[in-house]
Amino acid sequence: MESAISTLVTHFKTFAGKDGSSSTLSREEFRSLVASQLPTFVKNSSDPGVIDQLMGSLDENNDGELTFPEFWQLIGKLACKHGGFSQ
């Protein structure tokens, strides 16, 4: 599990760092991360409306960017769904 967490953090920082700040994901960075790393888990990830809706549901402070804790919510939800666990 440690390697899985390390991979998640590394991917987050890599995608977040594309616009200069490795601490938050912009909408475009989030879209790129989801499309390339979660294409099977997030249906219609190439649809801008899907990305906007998903990002809006995760962006707790409504600043238009996702912090790692905000992003982590998505990972938890996807893992629960994939594992057949109820939320």
Side-chain angles (χ1 to χ4, degrees), residues 9-77:
V9 169
T10 298
H11 282 310
F12 179 90
K13 287 183 176 182
T14 298
F15 281 86
K18 290 184 178 185
D19 71 0
S21 170
S22 64
S23 61
T24 60
L25 290 169
S26 67
R27 181 189 173 282
E28 183 55 33
E29 290 167 337
F30 179 63
R31 185 208 57 77
S32 180
L33 184 152
V34 169
S36 68
Q37 300 299 312
L38 300 167
T40 305
F41 283 22
V42 178
K43 303 296 182 205
N44 301 318
S45 62
S46 62
D47 180 340
V50 169
I51 294 300
D52 287 343
Q53 182 179 10
L54 184 55
M55 189 162 176
S57 73
L58 300 170
D59 186 9
E60 292 178 344
N61 62 356
N62 296 314
D63 66 353
E65 297 186 325
L66 296 180
T67 61
F68 188 78
E70 289 172 330
F71 171 73
W72 188 254
Q73 293 178 76
L74 174 63
I75 301 304
K77 289 175 185 179

